[in-house]
Amino acid sequence: MTGVPASAAGGPSQAGASGAAGASGAESGAKSARSGKIVAAAVNEASLWNIANILTMVRLLLVPGFVALMLADGGYDPAWRAFAWAAFAVAMITDLFDGHLARTYNLVTDFGKIADPIADKAIMGAALICLSALGDLPWWVTGVILGRELGITLLRFIVIRYGVIPASRGGKLKTLTQGIAVGMYILALTGWLATARFWVMAVAVALTVATGLDYVRQAIVLRRQGIAEREAALEETEA
């Protein structure tokens, strides 16, 4: 007898077996991780074609069609204006549904986050510019509404490092009022309806300015809070 324990005698072979098993497990884990990434990428790619994003794409495609209908036959034919109003109405309705569907059924995607606000501003901007170019709406109204929309979008990007400015009820009411007012101007209305649309647009412009100022206030507060939190965190770290 050599006096060497059986466990020691079998040590090298067991160590080699465990090392091989560990290497095999690591390789298997790496393969699983790669497979998981591939599957996740496929799911994300598939989610791009959900109903919310399709509605957003439809709204984007409606913009050139709407402009063509608005300017058809000189832009003053009541029939073509009615078709243009229908296209505008469909765009506004899809705007109401796509965001709701995305949030309710967890269909929010990076594409939707970018394309949805672009589609909203594109259809509204196209309508306002066409109406002003045709002489139906003063250019200053178009300038105020579009300037506010572009300014608030830029402001959101500036303060996004400190947080997100949430959509307010006033902002939603502003969007609804703008849609109704612009829709009334697209139609070739006469009589008391033509007078009524002036006042609806006046309310829309007032809400546009008021909500724009409120967003500026929220952005200032959010920035101040963000800076204060960063300074407090820095002081804690140094302490």
Side-chain angles (χ1 to χ4, degrees), residues 25-87:
E27 187 178 351
S28 174
K31 285 181 180 177
S32 298
R34 283 196 296 270
S35 300
K37 286 180 181 178
I38 292 169
V39 171
V43 169
N44 289 337
E45 186 65 26
S47 67
L48 174 66
W49 297 99
N50 61 56
I51 184 62
N53 285 346
I54 290 171
L55 289 176
T56 299
M57 288 184 238
V58 167
R59 194 155 73 257
L60 283 168
L61 292 173
L62 278 172
V63 175
F66 165 79
V67 172
L69 291 169
M70 270 294 289
L71 302 179
D73 199 16
Y76 297 103
D77 186 277
W80 287 114
R81 292 286 282 262
F83 286 125
W85 176 86

Side-chain angles (χ1 to χ4, degrees), residues 171-183:
K172 293 176 181 178
L173 179 60
K174 176 269 306 178
T175 301
L176 177 63
T177 310
Q178 279 182 2
I180 294 171
V182 171

Side-chain angles (χ1 to χ4, degrees), residues 115-129:
D116 183 64
I118 290 174
D120 298 343
K121 290 169 179 55
I123 190 67
M124 183 60 71
L128 290 167
I129 291 170

Side-chain angles (χ1 to χ4, degrees), residues 10-23:
S13 62
Q14 285 177 354
S18 357

